[in-house]
Amino acid sequence: MRITMDNDQQLEDHMALISELYPGVYTQIVPPVKESKPRRRRKKNKGEGGAVGPRKRKLSEEQVNLLEQNFGSEHKLESERKDRLASELGLDPRQVAVWFQNRRARWKNKKLEEEYAKLKSMHDGTVIEKCRLESELLNMKDRLIESEKEIQRLLERADGPAASSNSPSSSMSMSMDANMDRRFPGEFAYEDAFYMQENVYNVYGLDWMNLFDSRQ
Amino acid sequence: MRITMDNDQQLEDHMALISELYPGVYTQIVPPVKESKPRRRRKKNKGEGGAVGPRKRKLSEEQVNLLEQNFGSEHKLESERKDRLASELGLDPRQVAVWFQNRRARWKNKKLEEEYAKLKSMHDGTVIEKCRLESELLNMKDRLIESEKEIQRLLERADGPAASSNSPSSSMSMSMDANMDRRFPGEFAYEDAFYMQENVYNVYGLDWMNLFDSRQ
DNA sequence: TCAGCGTCAGTAATGAACTAA
DNA sequence: ATTAGTTCATTACTGACGCTG
C-alpha cells in the first residue's frame, strides 16, 4: 500500500527564506569555443517556477578552468581544498563539491568509452591472430599427415629386411585421429573468417556504437 | 507575474515532507538491492536555491511507469505522443520531452556498459582459444619435427639399397625452417599465457574498471 | 547507536550548438 | 532566417552507503 503520494509533485514554495547571496556571480556570457553563430533564443519560462530568479547556470570560463585544473591534479576533494576553491571562485562550497562529483561521473563515462575502444582494437587484433593461427595449424596438420604417409611408405618399402618397428618415436605416431578434423587442404583456409564479423562497429570512430536503434 | 503554470500540478502541498519521510516511494526502477535500514536526515536544500520556486523533483511511480513503458516501445517521441503523454500524466510536455532526452542518454550509457561487458567476455574467450591454438600449434610442430626425423632415420637406414629420394611427397618436406621457431619442446607450453593478463578486470562483476585511481 | 561528512548512482532541468523543414 | 526538435554537456539535487568519532 503506497503512501498516498499518487499525485505528488512535492511543492517547494515557502522556501525562499534562505540565502540569496549570489546575485550575479553566474551568467557570464561566455562565447567560449565559438563566437559568431546566432544566439539561439530559447523558450524560456516554462510554466513552473514563475518567479524564478537566480537559477543555476553556467560557471564562468575561468571558474571552470580553475576547477578543471584542480581536478586534474586530484580527483578527490578534501574539504579544505573545497573551501579554498570556493572562496577563490566566489562559489558556494556546495557548488564546488557538486562540480567535482559531476566531474568524476563524467570522467568515468569518458574512461569507459576509452576502455571500450581500446579493448575493441585489442580484440580485433586477437581475432586476426587467432585466424592466422588456425590456418597455420591446418597447414601443419596437413603437413603432418603427409609426413606420416611418407613414413608409411618408407616402412612398407623396407618391409622385407626388418618387419619389426623399433624406431624410438613410433610410439607417438598415431594418436592424432582425435584432433585431426582437417577440412579442405587449401592453404590459408579462412572459413573461420566469420569471426571477424562478430560485432562490426567503427571502432576508432566517433560512433562505434549504433546506440540508437534497438529498443530495450 | 509568473508565466502560466496553469495546467501543471505543482500546487501540491505539504508533500515535500512526505517525500522526505518516505524516500523509497519512488524509484522502483532500481530496486534497492539492499535493505535500507537507517533513515537519515540530510541537511536540506540550503542556500543558492533562494528564490528558486520550481523545486519539484521526482515524478511519481506511475508517471515513471508510463513513461518507461512508452520508452520501451519507442525511444523517439513525436510531438503527438508527447502531448498525449503529457496530459495523461499531468505533466508539462516539456517535462516529457526532457524525460525522454535524459532517458536516452542514460540508455546510451547503460548500453555502453553492456557492450563493454559483452565484448570483454568475448575477448576473454578468444584469448583463451588463441592460447589453446598456440600450444596446439607448438605441439604440432614438435610432432612434425619428430616425424621428419623419423623419415630421415628411415631414409638413412635404407641407404644401401636405394640412395635416391623418389617419394612423391618429398617436395614439400623441407620448407619449414621459416616458421619453425619452436621453443622448448614441453607439451602445452603456455609461455604465452601472459595474454590472459593483458587487462584483468572483474569482467562480469560490478567494478570491472578501476575507475577511480589514475588522475587524468 | 547515532550524527556528520564524503561519495555515488540516478534524476531533473537548463543552455548551447546543430539540423531540418 | 525562423522555428521546432535533438544531442551534448552541465548544473543541481535526492536518497543511499560507508566510514568515523
Side-chain angles (χ1 to χ4, degrees):
Chain A
M1 94 113 51
R2 28 246 317 276
I3 311 82
T4 86
M5 284 316 265
D6 305 61
N7 205 357
D8 70 349
Q9 302 321 86
Q10 56 275 46
L11 114 129
E12 63 314 276
D13 298 17
H14 64 321
M15 219 46 144
L17 29 132
I18 326 190
S19 66
E20 188 41 55
L21 336 167
Y22 302 90
V25 190
Y26 26 71
T27 63
Q28 274 86 344
I29 301 95
V30 232
V33 192
K34 331 217 164 182
E35 61 287 52
S36 67
K37 265 351 173 183
R39 267 276 100 65
R40 221 69 179 64
R41 247 289 175 277
R42 208 188 212 31
K43 205 156 27 179
K44 232 42 227 245
N45 109 53
K46 88 307 191 203
E48 350 296 8
V52 182
R55 232 33 179 89
K56 51 185 177 193
R57 299 63 270 277
K58 272 326 192 184
L59 305 178
S60 73
E61 185 169 3
E62 41 210 327
Q63 285 173 321
V64 171
N65 283 159
L66 217 181
L67 286 167
E68 206 68 56
Q69 196 177 312
N70 269 270
F71 182 79
S73 72
E74 175 56 67
H75 294 186
K76 288 290 181 187
L77 180 67
E78 328 75 52
S79 43
E80 203 208 327
R81 214 153 58 103
K82 179 173 68 178
D83 294 334
R84 182 173 57 65
L85 266 174
S87 69
E88 231 168 292
L89 294 165
L91 293 175
D92 192 67
R94 165 75 179 162
Q95 281 179 291
V96 178
V98 165
W99 190 91
F100 263 75
Q101 210 167 277
N102 289 321
R103 189 68 183 74
R104 278 191 294 265
R106 257 170 268 146
W107 181 81
K108 194 175 107 180
N109 278 334
K110 186 172 307 192
K111 206 67 186 166
L112 177 56
E113 293 194 6
E114 283 172 24
E115 291 301 319
Y116 186 90
K118 202 188 305 181
L119 178 59
K120 183 80 179 86
S121 72
M122 210 161 72
H123 179 63
D124 289 348
T126 303
V127 164
I128 289 176
E129 258 292 281
K130 180 165 160 291
C131 284
R132 197 184 54 67
L133 287 173
E134 275 169 345
S135 71
E136 195 181 343
L137 189 58
L138 247 37
N139 189 18
M140 277 296 138
K141 283 179 178 176
D142 283 339
R143 300 222 303 219
L144 188 50
I145 285 179
E146 287 307 314
S147 193
E148 299 275 351
K149 276 201 277 207
E150 175 84 351
I151 288 173
Q152 275 310 114
R153 258 191 301 274
L154 288 172
L155 285 176
E156 281 164 19
R157 197 202 309 179
D159 212 340
S164 65
S165 64
N166 58 351
S167 57
S169 62
S170 63
S171 59
M172 74 87 178
S173 285
M174 270 302 136
S175 63
M176 51 191 303
D177 303 286
N179 26 8
M180 262 312 172
D181 60 320
R182 82 193 138 82
R183 299 135 236 212
F184 64 90
E187 278 238 327
F188 295 103
Y190 271 95
E191 76 274 42
D192 297 287
F194 81 95
Y195 277 110
M196 319 272 299
Q197 299 256 37
E198 274 170 342
N199 247 352
V200 274
Y201 295 135
N202 276 342
V203 190
Y204 315 97
L206 312 165
D207 64 331
W208 34 270
M209 277 181 60
N210 25 13
L211 291 164
F212 297 104
D213 317 339
S214 70
R215 61 199 78 276
Q216 195 62 293
Chain B
M1 45 161 69
R2 53 249 291 0
I3 318 83
T4 77
M5 136 224 266
D6 43 355
N7 50 16
D8 269 320
Q9 66 302 322
Q10 60 272 119
L11 282 314
E12 258 1 63
D13 33 43
H14 65 286
M15 278 316 178
L17 292 178
I18 307 238
S19 75
E20 291 175 16
L21 299 175
Y22 303 88
V25 183
Y26 334 86
T27 66
Q28 69 302 353
I29 303 170
V30 184
V33 190
K34 319 213 162 179
E35 281 311 338
S36 62
K37 22 166 135 57
R39 178 123 287 117
R40 253 232 307 348
R41 290 325 302 285
R42 191 166 262 293
K43 198 156 31 184
K44 224 60 278 228
N45 85 48
K46 51 75 99 319
E48 230 39 301
V52 182
R55 204 80 313 164
K56 54 164 1 162
R57 318 249 116 194
K58 283 305 192 196
L59 307 177
S60 74
E61 182 170 1
E62 39 210 324
Q63 284 174 322
V64 172
N65 282 160
L66 217 182
L67 286 167
E68 205 67 56
Q69 195 177 313
N70 268 269
F71 182 78
S73 72
E74 175 58 63
H75 295 185
K76 284 290 185 186
L77 180 68
E78 328 74 53
S79 42
E80 207 208 326
R81 213 152 59 103
K82 180 172 69 179
D83 294 335
R84 183 173 57 64
L85 265 174
S87 70
E88 233 168 292
L89 295 165
L91 293 174
D92 192 57
R94 166 74 180 159
Q95 282 178 289
V96 177
V98 166
W99 191 90
F100 264 74
Q101 281 165 203
N102 289 321
R103 191 66 184 74
R104 276 190 294 261
R106 264 168 252 148
W107 181 81
K108 195 173 102 179
N109 280 333
K110 184 176 305 193
K111 206 65 185 170
L112 177 57
E113 294 194 6
E114 281 173 25
E115 291 301 319
Y116 186 92
K118 202 187 305 182
L119 178 58
K120 183 80 180 86
S121 73
M122 212 160 71
H123 180 63
D124 289 347
T126 304
V127 164
I128 289 175
E129 258 292 280
K130 180 164 158 292
C131 283
R132 198 182 57 65
L133 287 173
E134 275 170 343
S135 71
E136 197 182 341
L137 189 57
L138 246 38
N139 189 20
M140 277 297 138
K141 283 179 178 175
D142 285 338
R143 301 221 304 217
L144 189 49
I145 284 177
E146 287 307 312
S147 195
E148 297 278 352
K149 276 202 275 209
E150 175 85 351
I151 288 174
Q152 276 310 114
R153 259 191 301 274
L154 289 173
L155 286 177
E156 280 163 20
R157 197 202 308 179
D159 211 340
S164 66
S165 63
N166 58 352
S167 57
S169 62
S170 63
S171 59
M172 74 87 177
S173 287
M174 271 302 135
S175 62
M176 52 192 303
D177 303 284
N179 26 6
M180 262 311 172
D181 59 321
R182 83 197 138 81
R183 298 138 237 208
F184 64 90
E187 279 237 328
F188 294 102
Y190 271 96
E191 77 275 41
D192 297 287
F194 84 94
Y195 276 110
M196 319 270 300
Q197 299 256 40
E198 274 170 343
N199 246 352
V200 273
Y201 296 134
N202 275 343
V203 191
Y204 316 97
L206 311 166
D207 63 333
W208 33 271
M209 277 182 61
N210 23 13
L211 291 164
F212 299 104
D213 316 338
S214 71
R215 62 198 78 274
Q216 191 66 292

